[in-house]
């Protein structure tokens, strides 16, 4: 089962995050085989760390909750909250398999928080810049709750365009970069 996990930083927690970098990476190393994508989000042109994305394939919702809430930064209080949802990997690959590689171009996390009828349940036709893409789902995978994508785009507006306009209660676009030691 695939899960989307977004840890959002608590304001003023950068020094704590820096102090825990090795503990965080060591923790994530334990999940190397299960990770589909990972990496930090930023604001202010990359000057301010705002969170961490982890997309992971785990046996069940309990294992996903343990992954999200046992993470060292979460345990130490560096994160203010966690968005954890079932997710479906519509591209069928990891970020390390992205043909565009780790560098080149701006990268974004696009989160569409759903309302009403499900939308964007298929990969968009222009998929060359999609790093990861799939629906956010309830724990039992029966209810659509939104869509999450990691995308390479020339700017946030173009990144936002990966989702159908006016079909979400809210859409967030965050600067993102490949994470991990790979």
């Amino acid at each position: 089962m695939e899960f989307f996990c977004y840890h959002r930083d608590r304001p003023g927690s950068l020094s704590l995050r820096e102090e825990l970098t090795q503990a965080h990476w060591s923790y994530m190393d334990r999940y190397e085989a299960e990770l589909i994508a990972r990496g930090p989000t930023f604001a202010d042109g990359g000057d301010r760390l705002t969170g961490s994305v982890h997309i992971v394939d785990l046996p069940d919702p309990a294992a996903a909750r343990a992954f999200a809430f046992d993470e060292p930064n979460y345990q130490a209080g560096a994160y203010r909250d966690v968005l954890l949802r079932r997710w479906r990997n519509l591209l069928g690959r990891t970020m390390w398999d992205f043909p565009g590689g780790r560098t080149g171009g701006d990268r974004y996390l696009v989160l569409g928080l759903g309302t009403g009828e499900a939308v964007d349940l298929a990969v968009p036709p222009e998929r060359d810049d999609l790093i990861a893409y799939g629906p956010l789902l309830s724990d039992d995978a029966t209810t659509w709750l939104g869509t999450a994508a990691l995308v390479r785009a020339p700017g946030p507006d173009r990144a936002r365009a990966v989702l159908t306009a006016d079909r979400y209660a809210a859409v967030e676009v965050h600067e993102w970069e490949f994470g991990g030691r790979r």
Side-chain angles (χ1 to χ4, degrees), residues 24 26 49 53 92-93 103 122 127 148 157 167 179-180:
H24 168 77
S26 294
L49 188 64
V53 172
R93 65 176 186 228
T103 61
R127 64 187 289 154
D157 291 338
R167 293 296 303 274

Side-chain angles (χ1 to χ4, degrees), residues 11-92:
S13 66
L14 180 59
S15 62
L16 181 57
R17 288 274 311 260
E18 289 171 343
E19 180 183 320
L20 294 168
T21 297
Q22 287 303 319
H24 168 77
W25 283 1
S26 294
Y27 183 80
M28 290 302 151
D29 287 347
R30 294 176 21 206
Y31 293 93
E32 182 177 2
E34 292 85 7
L35 283 165
I36 295 166
R38 68 184 281 194
T41 59
F42 299 90
D44 305 327
D47 291 338
R48 184 170 52 89
L49 188 64
T50 60
S52 290
V53 172
H54 301 96
I55 303 174
V56 64
D57 190 353
L58 295 169
D60 54 47
R65 283 189 287 280
F67 169 83
F69 298 112
D70 290 344
E71 195 280 335
N73 289 316
Y74 179 82
Q75 287 294 310
Y79 298 134
R80 73 170 184 188
D81 60 56
V82 179
L83 172 64
L84 180 63
R85 294 285 182 246
R86 284 281 298 273
W87 187 74
R88 188 168 300 125
N89 186 356
L90 295 182
L91 297 176

Side-chain angles (χ1 to χ4, degrees), residues 92-116:
R93 65 176 186 228
T94 71
M95 72 178 202
W96 297 278
D97 300 322
F98 172 58
R102 292 179 65 101
T103 61
D106 295 332
R107 313 297 171 98
Y108 298 92
L109 162 64
V110 181
L111 277 176
L113 306 176
T115 182

Side-chain angles (χ1 to χ4, degrees), residues 1-3 84-88 135-141:
M1 292 180 187
E2 297 151 337
F3 294 88
L84 180 63
R85 294 285 182 246
R86 284 281 298 273
W87 187 74
R88 188 168 300 125
L136 299 169
L137 305 166
S138 59
D139 277 356
D140 64 2

